[in-house]
Amino acid sequence: EVQLVESGGGSVQPGGSLRLSCPAAGFTFDDYSIGWFRQAPGKEREGISCISGSDGIVQYGDSVRGRFAISYNLADNTVYLQMNSLTPEDTAVYYCSASRFGNPYWGQGTQVTISS
């Protein structure tokens, strides 16, 4: 069974940085697309970034492009999300997702809070 466990969330002041990680188990990474999503209170789930395990193609959402960076380490099957220049608008629960042929799996989420 596919298992995803996000970590690295917490509280940080505006302008700060965090790095989230998502170790993945139960599947071969190169068969899946791995993505980061977030959901803030009262807002729809937003796609942040995704990376294809088959070819490494990366996509970013408009709200984070230039500030966030996704990467992966095949040796430990972990996807990372480096978040820089954080603002209060980045406050949300962040989720890691893996999908293959439209079949998604989700992690439990990690809270990221940006405030003074």
Side-chain angles (χ1 to χ4, degrees), residues 7 9 14 18 21-23 32 41 43 45-47 57 62 76 78 82 91 97 100 104 106-108 110-111:
S7 65
L18 287 172
S21 64
C22 181
Y32 285 76
K43 298 181 66 177
R45 184 180 62 195
E46 176 187 14
I57 293 176
D62 291 341
D76 58 9
T78 300
Q82 179 66 46
T91 296
S97 178
R100 184 187 184 190
W106 296 91
Q108 83 289 344
T110 184
Q111 177 70 49

Side-chain angles (χ1 to χ4, degrees), residues 23-70:
F27 66 98
T28 301
F29 177 72
D30 60 9
D31 291 333
Y32 285 76
S33 176
I34 310 298
W36 287 97
F37 296 78
R38 68 186 182 188
Q39 188 162 24
K43 298 181 66 177
E44 296 181 347
R45 184 180 62 195
E46 176 187 14
I48 301 168
S49 182
C50 65
I51 185 167
S52 170
S54 62
D55 56 19
I57 293 176
V58 173
Q59 296 177 303
Y60 291 100
D62 291 341
S63 63
V64 305
R65 187 176 293 108
R67 298 189 298 119
F68 292 8
I70 192 171

Side-chain angles (χ1 to χ4, degrees), residues 58-102:
V58 173
Q59 296 177 303
Y60 291 100
D62 291 341
S63 63
V64 305
R65 187 176 293 108
R67 298 189 298 119
F68 292 8
I70 192 171
S71 62
Y72 68 95
N73 187 323
L74 288 175
D76 58 9
N77 293 320
T78 300
V79 178
Y80 301 93
L81 183 69
Q82 179 66 46
M83 306 187 295
N84 300 320
S85 301
L86 289 163
T87 75
E89 288 71 33
D90 295 315
T91 296
V93 177
Y94 285 68
Y95 298 91
C96 182
S97 178
S99 65
R100 184 187 184 190
F101 303 123

Side-chain angles (χ1 to χ4, degrees), residues 11-27:
S11 297
V12 65
Q13 293 183 327
S17 298
L18 287 172
R19 189 166 86 144
L20 308 183
S21 64
C22 181
F27 66 98

